[in-house]
Amino acid sequence: MEPQNQTFVLQFLLLGFTDDAELQSLIFSLFLFIYLVTIFGNVLIILCISFESHLHIPMYFFLSNLSFNDIGLSTATVIKMLANIHANDQSITYTGCLTQLFFALVFAYFENFLLTVMAYDRYAAICHPLRYNIIMNPNLCVLLSLISLFVSIMDSLIHTLMVQRLSFCRDLEIPHFFCELDQVIKLSCSETIIDSIVLFVATCVFGGVPLCGIIYSYYHIVSTVLKIASLEGKCKAFSTCGSHLSVVCLFYGAGSVVYISSAINASPGKSAVASVMYSVLPQLMNPFIYSLRNKDMKVAIRNLLSKTISLE
């Protein structure tokens, strides 16, 4: 089969999960519900943090960034799938595929960096409480977010430009519900060894290094908390980072499941299901984790809802 340059590629086909019409309707309803709950939950957290002045501290500043990012990642991956199912059309244009790929990578990398910055924030709060306000000053918080976003954009741009230089065969079927980088590279008729190496290095550097930073932070956090004499003090210290630790376990645990499943089982259908674990599930669960495990967020949500009801 002769390769053709991306200039002449008209579209890719997103195969999704199944061709069964009845299951397609069920999947549409399920993912529409998940998407709406994700948007509502994250918008609620953003509004609570915006309107409650006592939440204007570094931990909640980064949480609002995380909520914005979760909305972006869910929108980048889910919306096109819902539109395709509704229109009974599996196609996505070449430009649309690259655009989706770029934004999915940006939001995935940014979430990775945000979780690392949030771990550092908890480290500063628990291990250096007297210097916390000096260490985590507003300028540093904004700078850390901007640097994280900049690195995410630059790395995603590199991957996207490298895909753009590839040629593709006529069979452009992607066995996923969105344009995932690894799957797009596999479709190419060009030599992809450089792309694979860059992807591997980027995963190790921009995935491994932040994870090591999180582990390092929590090592010192646990060491500091264990030195606290009272049990009440230990529980209070652990409670301040319990929500973040749960989100970290969910995000990296989901990513590990995807990596292991793709390495052990090459089934396209199961690989698509596994990709839901990191591109949809964490963004859905994060608002629940932070609202159910955080007393300040519970109070803020109640205050916001009561103000809304009183206005009506």
Side-chain angles (χ1 to χ4, degrees):
M1 188 174 294
E2 295 182 359
Q4 56 183 29
N5 188 272
Q6 61 264 31
T7 306
F8 303 102
V9 174
L10 296 178
Q11 62 185 18
F12 291 95
L13 295 179
L14 297 173
L15 301 185
F17 301 100
T18 179
D19 293 327
D20 188 284
E22 293 183 1
L23 287 178
Q24 288 276 44
S25 300
L26 178 61
I27 290 172
F28 177 85
S29 301
L30 176 62
F31 275 82
L32 178 61
F33 174 76
I34 290 175
Y35 178 72
L36 293 177
V37 171
T38 299
I39 297 301
F40 176 78
N42 284 291
V43 168
L44 184 62
I45 285 181
I46 293 169
L47 291 176
C48 288
I49 294 173
S50 300
F51 288 108
E52 292 291 330
S53 59
H54 70 281
L55 297 183
H56 294 173
I57 58 177
M59 181 174 72
Y60 294 106
F61 168 75
F62 294 125
L63 177 56
S64 62
N65 276 259
L66 184 65
S67 293
F68 272 115
N69 187 76
D70 286 343
I71 292 172
L73 184 54
S74 296
T75 301
T77 56
V78 175
I79 285 294
K80 181 58 180 177
M81 181 191 70
L82 294 176
N84 281 3
I85 294 177
H86 184 264
N88 195 26
D89 179 12
Q90 296 177 317
S91 66
I92 181 172
T93 63
Y94 176 78
T95 302
C97 187
L98 289 186
T99 302
Q100 186 183 55
L101 184 151
F102 171 77
F103 282 106
L105 286 174
V106 168
F107 293 126
Y109 278 122
F110 191 40
E111 180 147 352
N112 181 48
F113 290 128
L114 280 175
L115 292 177
T116 307
V117 172
M118 292 170 78
Y120 176 72
D121 172 72
R122 292 300 84 208
Y123 161 78
I126 294 175
C127 299
H128 304 283
L130 299 180
R131 299 176 53 220
Y132 175 71
N133 290 330
I134 298 175
I135 296 173
M136 298 304 294
N137 60 79
N139 291 335
L140 179 63
C141 293
V142 174
L143 182 62
L144 288 173
S145 293
L146 291 177
I147 291 175
S148 298
L149 181 59
F150 176 77
V151 174
S152 300
I153 292 174
M154 288 298 100
D155 187 58
S156 302
L157 185 60
I158 290 172
H159 287 302
T160 306
L161 292 176
M162 291 191 70
V163 169
Q164 194 173 17
R165 54 178 278 278
L166 298 176
S167 297
F168 293 90
C169 301
R170 300 180 188 277
D171 186 10
L172 300 176
E173 295 181 345
I174 300 176
H176 272 57
F177 63 94
F178 71 98
C179 289
E180 194 176 55
L181 176 60
D182 182 56
Q183 296 297 323
V184 174
I185 291 176
K186 288 179 180 178
L187 292 178
S188 176
C189 296
S190 305
E191 179 60 55
T192 60
I193 184 65
I194 297 178
D195 297 78
S196 299
I197 291 174
V198 171
L199 178 58
F200 176 77
V201 172
T203 302
C204 292
V205 174
F206 299 117
V209 173
L211 180 58
C212 290
I214 293 173
I215 294 173
Y216 177 83
S217 297
Y218 273 100
Y219 168 77
H220 286 281
I221 288 172
V222 172
S223 299
T224 302
V225 171
L226 291 178
K227 294 177 183 177
I228 299 176
S230 67
L231 179 62
E232 182 181 355
K234 290 180 180 179
C235 293
K236 184 178 180 180
F238 274 127
S239 66
T240 62
C241 54
S243 298
H244 174 258
L245 192 57
S246 300
V247 171
V248 168
C249 292
L250 178 62
F251 181 76
Y252 283 100
S256 300
V257 169
V258 174
Y259 179 81
I260 294 172
S261 65
S262 61
I264 296 176
N265 194 328
S267 171
K270 292 184 178 180
S271 178
V273 173
S275 65
V276 175
M277 295 292 291
Y278 78 89
S279 61
V280 177
L281 187 60
Q283 293 70 42
L284 170 67
M285 296 304 300
N286 287 354
F288 291 100
I289 292 173
Y290 274 102
S291 61
L292 295 178
R293 295 179 59 91
N294 189 300
K295 293 181 180 179
D296 291 334
M297 284 304 305
K298 289 180 182 178
V299 173
I301 291 173
R302 282 198 295 267
N303 291 341
L304 180 63
L305 293 177
S306 62
K307 288 178 182 179
T308 304
I309 293 173
S310 63
L311 290 175
E312 294 178 354

